């Protein structure tokens, strides 16, 4: 990379760090090209990005951002992953690390909070943003359906009472 490419790379990473809420740092010693391709594909499917970056350039891009706390993790062959949904990145990375021992999660940062590998695993255990939205929508809709049921109940009970009186009257009329 020449100097202008390095500057462009640092600026691109700074733009990413300004937009995202979570950055994961992983180490990939001995990861094959096929494994790296599989990981990239899984990250892309989860809406995340996986990028191998030179540590010095990544550290320059981290300066002045809320993710400065992960700079000490940038040693050896590291890669950065990020997404708008922090749980998606963490889940994908943790799942991949379970099946590939050459991929090691070093830590990450969720906003200004620096996480170690256990913190990332705990984040991966949370439900995804889409699941949380669906649960919240369900909680919001449940009271509305209960209110509608309660409002309809008296009307339907009255209808049943009227129907019972009508049947009673019909039975008395037939008997007479």
């Amino acid at each position: 990379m020449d100097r202008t490419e390095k500057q462009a790379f640092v600026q691109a990473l700074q733009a990413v760090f300004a937009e995202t809420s979570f950055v994961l740092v992983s180490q990939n010693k001995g990861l094959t090209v096929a494994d790296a391709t599989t990981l990239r594909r899984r990250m892309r499917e989860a809406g995340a990005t996986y990028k191998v970056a030179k540590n010095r350039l990544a550290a320059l891009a981290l300066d002045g951002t809320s993710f400065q706390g992960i700079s000490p993790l940038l040693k050896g062959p590291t890669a950065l992953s990020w997404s708008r949904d922090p749980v998606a990145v963490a889940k994908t990375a943790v799942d991949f690390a379970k099946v590939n021992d050459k991929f090691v999660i070093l830590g990450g940062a969720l906003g200004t909070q620096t996480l170690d590998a256990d913190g990332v695993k705990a984040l991966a255990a949370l439900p995804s943003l889409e699941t949380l939205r669906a649960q919240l929508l369900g909680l919001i809709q449940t009271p509305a359906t209960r209110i509608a049921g309660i409002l309809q109940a008296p009307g339907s009970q009255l209808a049943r009472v009227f129907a019972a009186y009508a049947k009673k009257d019909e039975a008395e009329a037939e008997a007479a």
Side-chain angles (χ1 to χ4, degrees):
M1 286 180 129
D2 67 354
R3 184 180 205 96
T4 56
E5 289 175 328
K6 290 178 183 178
Q7 287 174 341
F9 182 77
V10 169
Q11 288 174 350
L13 273 181
Q14 285 173 334
V16 165
F17 295 150
E19 293 176 2
T20 192
S21 63
F22 178 71
V23 177
L24 175 86
V25 180
S26 58
Q27 198 169 49
N28 51 1
K29 284 186 177 177
L31 205 61
T32 65
V33 173
D35 289 338
T37 303
T38 301
L39 177 59
R40 277 191 175 90
R41 187 175 348 100
R42 288 184 185 173
M43 288 284 188
R44 203 172 17 246
E45 289 169 358
T49 304
Y50 173 82
K51 186 110 179 137
V52 176
K54 291 191 177 211
N55 294 336
R56 190 175 55 78
L57 297 178
L60 286 173
L62 287 169
D63 281 341
T65 68
S66 60
F67 303 113
Q68 280 179 289
I70 61 174
S71 290
L73 300 175
L74 299 174
K75 292 181 180 141
T78 57
L80 303 173
S81 305
W82 61 85
S83 172
R84 291 184 189 268
D85 182 6
V87 176
V89 176
K91 277 187 185 203
T92 305
V94 168
D95 290 346
F96 189 78
K98 286 178 185 176
V99 296
N100 194 323
D101 58 345
K102 294 177 183 173
F103 180 76
V104 179
I105 297 170
L106 298 176
L110 183 60
T112 57
Q113 180 70 36
T114 303
L115 304 173
D116 60 357
D118 292 332
V120 173
K121 289 176 184 172
L123 184 63
L126 294 174
S128 70
L129 187 59
E130 290 301 318
T131 304
L132 287 173
R133 284 180 180 156
Q135 289 174 349
L136 181 62
L137 186 60
L139 288 173
I140 291 170
Q141 286 180 341
T142 298
T145 56
R146 284 188 183 159
I147 289 171
I150 290 169
L151 292 176
Q152 288 177 352
S156 63
Q157 287 174 350
L158 281 175
R160 282 190 221 111
V161 169
F162 291 144
Y165 277 121
K167 285 182 184 178
K168 181 181 173 188
D169 290 340
E170 286 175 14
E172 287 176 0
E174 288 176 11

PDB file of all heavy atoms in Angstrom, residues 34-49:
ATOM      1  N   ALA A  34     -10.188 -20.746   2.615  1.00  0.00           N
ATOM      2  CA  ALA A  34     -11.554 -21.273   2.576  1.00  0.00           C
ATOM      3  C   ALA A  34     -12.304 -20.934   3.870  1.00  0.00           C
ATOM      4  O   ALA A  34     -13.476 -20.541   3.835  1.00  0.00           O
ATOM      5  CB  ALA A  34     -11.526 -22.783   2.368  1.00  0.00           C
ATOM      6  N   ASP A  35     -11.620 -21.069   5.006  1.00  0.00           N
ATOM      7  CA  ASP A  35     -12.244 -20.739   6.283  1.00  0.00           C
ATOM      8  C   ASP A  35     -12.550 -19.250   6.375  1.00  0.00           C
ATOM      9  O   ASP A  35     -13.615 -18.850   6.854  1.00  0.00           O
ATOM     10  CB  ASP A  35     -11.341 -21.143   7.457  1.00  0.00           C
ATOM     11  CG  ASP A  35     -11.254 -22.657   7.629  1.00  0.00           C
ATOM     12  OD1 ASP A  35     -12.174 -23.358   7.157  1.00  0.00           O
ATOM     13  OD2 ASP A  35     -10.282 -23.123   8.242  1.00  0.00           O
ATOM     14  N   ALA A  36     -11.612 -18.421   5.932  1.00  0.00           N
ATOM     15  CA  ALA A  36     -11.825 -16.969   5.957  1.00  0.00           C
ATOM     16  C   ALA A  36     -12.992 -16.587   5.046  1.00  0.00           C
ATOM     17  O   ALA A  36     -13.797 -15.720   5.396  1.00  0.00           O
ATOM     18  CB  ALA A  36     -10.559 -16.234   5.543  1.00  0.00           C
ATOM     19  N   THR A  37     -13.102 -17.243   3.901  1.00  0.00           N
ATOM     20  CA  THR A  37     -14.210 -16.983   2.983  1.00  0.00           C
ATOM     21  C   THR A  37     -15.534 -17.391   3.615  1.00  0.00           C
ATOM     22  O   THR A  37     -16.533 -16.671   3.509  1.00  0.00           O
ATOM     23  CB  THR A  37     -13.990 -17.738   1.658  1.00  0.00           C
ATOM     24  OG1 THR A  37     -12.728 -17.343   1.109  1.00  0.00           O
ATOM     25  CG2 THR A  37     -15.092 -17.462   0.663  1.00  0.00           C
ATOM     26  N   THR A  38     -15.543 -18.530   4.288  1.00  0.00           N
ATOM     27  CA  THR A  38     -16.750 -18.987   4.982  1.00  0.00           C
ATOM     28  C   THR A  38     -17.157 -17.993   6.063  1.00  0.00           C
ATOM     29  O   THR A  38     -18.332 -17.646   6.192  1.00  0.00           O
ATOM     30  CB  THR A  38     -16.510 -20.373   5.605  1.00  0.00           C
ATOM     31  OG1 THR A  38     -16.152 -21.290   4.585  1.00  0.00           O
ATOM     32  CG2 THR A  38     -17.740 -20.873   6.335  1.00  0.00           C
ATOM     33  N   LEU A  39     -16.169 -17.520   6.827  1.00  0.00           N
ATOM     34  CA  LEU A  39     -16.452 -16.543   7.880  1.00  0.00           C
ATOM     35  C   LEU A  39     -16.990 -15.244   7.293  1.00  0.00           C
ATOM     36  O   LEU A  39     -17.972 -14.690   7.793  1.00  0.00           O
ATOM     37  CB  LEU A  39     -15.193 -16.271   8.705  1.00  0.00           C
ATOM     38  CG  LEU A  39     -15.322 -15.217   9.799  1.00  0.00           C
ATOM     39  CD1 LEU A  39     -16.405 -15.608  10.804  1.00  0.00           C
ATOM     40  CD2 LEU A  39     -13.991 -15.010  10.496  1.00  0.00           C
ATOM     41  N   ARG A  40     -16.377 -14.768   6.227  1.00  0.00           N
ATOM     42  CA  ARG A  40     -16.851 -13.536   5.577  1.00  0.00           C
ATOM     43  C   ARG A  40     -18.289 -13.689   5.092  1.00  0.00           C
ATOM     44  O   ARG A  40     -19.115 -12.793   5.236  1.00  0.00           O
ATOM     45  CB  ARG A  40     -15.947 -13.173   4.405  1.00  0.00           C
ATOM     46  CG  ARG A  40     -14.709 -12.435   4.800  1.00  0.00           C
ATOM     47  CD  ARG A  40     -13.990 -11.868   3.563  1.00  0.00           C
ATOM     48  NE  ARG A  40     -12.871 -11.075   3.976  1.00  0.00           N
ATOM     49  CZ  ARG A  40     -11.634 -11.548   4.159  1.00  0.00           C
ATOM     50  NH1 ARG A  40     -11.382 -12.815   3.954  1.00  0.00           N
ATOM     51  NH2 ARG A  40     -10.662 -10.739   4.539  1.00  0.00           N
ATOM     52  N   ARG A  41     -18.596 -14.848   4.507  1.00  0.00           N
ATOM     53  CA  ARG A  41     -19.946 -15.101   4.001  1.00  0.00           C
ATOM     54  C   ARG A  41     -20.953 -15.106   5.152  1.00  0.00           C
ATOM     55  O   ARG A  41     -22.019 -14.508   5.067  1.00  0.00           O
ATOM     56  CB  ARG A  41     -19.998 -16.427   3.249  1.00  0.00           C
ATOM     57  CG  ARG A  41     -21.321 -16.655   2.556  1.00  0.00           C
ATOM     58  CD  ARG A  41     -21.428 -17.909   1.683  1.00  0.00           C
ATOM     59  NE  ARG A  41     -20.226 -18.611   1.372  1.00  0.00           N
ATOM     60  CZ  ARG A  41     -19.809 -19.740   2.005  1.00  0.00           C
ATOM     61  NH1 ARG A  41     -20.519 -20.242   2.977  1.00  0.00           N
ATOM     62  NH2 ARG A  41     -18.705 -20.339   1.639  1.00  0.00           N
ATOM     63  N   ARG A  42     -20.600 -15.777   6.250  1.00  0.00           N
ATOM     64  CA  ARG A  42     -21.501 -15.808   7.410  1.00  0.00           C
ATOM     65  C   ARG A  42     -21.709 -14.416   7.990  1.00  0.00           C
ATOM     66  O   ARG A  42     -22.815 -14.062   8.397  1.00  0.00           O
ATOM     67  CB  ARG A  42     -20.953 -16.739   8.490  1.00  0.00           C
ATOM     68  CG  ARG A  42     -21.056 -18.197   8.134  1.00  0.00           C
ATOM     69  CD  ARG A  42     -20.582 -19.062   9.267  1.00  0.00           C
ATOM     70  NE  ARG A  42     -20.567 -20.461   8.893  1.00  0.00           N
ATOM     71  CZ  ARG A  42     -20.066 -21.419   9.644  1.00  0.00           C
ATOM     72  NH1 ARG A  42     -19.530 -21.134  10.818  1.00  0.00           N
ATOM     73  NH2 ARG A  42     -20.084 -22.664   9.241  1.00  0.00           N
ATOM     74  N   MET A  43     -20.636 -13.642   8.052  1.00  0.00           N
ATOM     75  CA  MET A  43     -20.748 -12.271   8.559  1.00  0.00           C
ATOM     76  C   MET A  43     -21.661 -11.444   7.643  1.00  0.00           C
ATOM     77  O   MET A  43     -22.518 -10.701   8.117  1.00  0.00           O
ATOM     78  CB  MET A  43     -19.372 -11.603   8.663  1.00  0.00           C
ATOM     79  CG  MET A  43     -18.519 -12.115   9.777  1.00  0.00           C
ATOM     80  SD  MET A  43     -19.075 -11.464  11.348  1.00  0.00           S
ATOM     81  CE  MET A  43     -17.763 -12.021  12.414  1.00  0.00           C
ATOM     82  N   ARG A  44     -21.467 -11.582   6.352  1.00  0.00           N
ATOM     83  CA  ARG A  44     -22.277 -10.827   5.394  1.00  0.00           C
ATOM     84  C   ARG A  44     -23.756 -11.211   5.530  1.00  0.00           C
ATOM     85  O   ARG A  44     -24.636 -10.358   5.484  1.00  0.00           O
ATOM     86  CB  ARG A  44     -21.773 -11.103   3.977  1.00  0.00           C
ATOM     87  CG  ARG A  44     -22.111 -10.052   2.983  1.00  0.00           C
ATOM     88  CD  ARG A  44     -21.455 -10.246   1.630  1.00  0.00           C
ATOM     89  NE  ARG A  44     -20.928 -11.569   1.371  1.00  0.00           N
ATOM     90  CZ  ARG A  44     -19.632 -11.866   1.216  1.00  0.00           C
ATOM     91  NH1 ARG A  44     -18.739 -10.939   1.271  1.00  0.00           N
ATOM     92  NH2 ARG A  44     -19.229 -13.092   0.995  1.00  0.00           N
ATOM     93  N   GLU A  45     -24.036 -12.527   5.712  1.00  0.00           N
ATOM     94  CA  GLU A  45     -25.413 -12.984   5.879  1.00  0.00           C
ATOM     95  C   GLU A  45     -26.038 -12.403   7.149  1.00  0.00           C
ATOM     96  O   GLU A  45     -27.245 -12.181   7.208  1.00  0.00           O
ATOM     97  CB  GLU A  45     -25.471 -14.513   5.932  1.00  0.00           C
ATOM     98  CG  GLU A  45     -25.200 -15.174   4.601  1.00  0.00           C
ATOM     99  CD  GLU A  45     -24.989 -16.682   4.711  1.00  0.00           C
ATOM    100  OE1 GLU A  45     -25.014 -17.220   5.842  1.00  0.00           O
ATOM    101  OE2 GLU A  45     -24.774 -17.320   3.665  1.00  0.00           O
ATOM    102  N   ALA A  46     -25.213 -12.166   8.166  1.00  0.00           N
ATOM    103  CA  ALA A  46     -25.700 -11.595   9.429  1.00  0.00           C
ATOM    104  C   ALA A  46     -25.761 -10.068   9.377  1.00  0.00           C
ATOM    105  O   ALA A  46     -26.128  -9.423  10.354  1.00  0.00           O
ATOM    106  CB  ALA A  46     -24.807 -12.043  10.577  1.00  0.00           C
ATOM    107  N   GLY A  47     -25.371  -9.486   8.251  1.00  0.00           N
ATOM    108  CA  GLY A  47     -25.376  -8.034   8.119  1.00  0.00           C
ATOM    109  C   GLY A  47     -24.146  -7.379   8.699  1.00  0.00           C
ATOM    110  O   GLY A  47     -24.158  -6.202   9.039  1.00  0.00           O
ATOM    111  N   ALA A  48     -23.076  -8.147   8.815  1.00  0.00           N
ATOM    112  CA  ALA A  48     -21.834  -7.646   9.417  1.00  0.00           C
ATOM    113  C   ALA A  48     -20.721  -7.631   8.376  1.00  0.00           C
ATOM    114  O   ALA A  48     -20.848  -8.187   7.288  1.00  0.00           O
ATOM    115  CB  ALA A  48     -21.429  -8.533  10.586  1.00  0.00           C
ATOM    116  N   THR A  49     -19.616  -6.994   8.748  1.00  0.00           N
ATOM    117  CA  THR A  49     -18.440  -6.918   7.889  1.00  0.00           C
ATOM    118  C   THR A  49     -17.245  -7.471   8.642  1.00  0.00           C
ATOM    119  O   THR A  49     -17.077  -7.193   9.831  1.00  0.00           O
ATOM    120  CB  THR A  49     -18.155  -5.456   7.489  1.00  0.00           C
ATOM    121  OG1 THR A  49     -19.317  -4.922   6.870  1.00  0.00           O
ATOM    122  CG2 THR A  49     -16.987  -5.363   6.534  1.00  0.00           C
TER     123      THR A  49
END
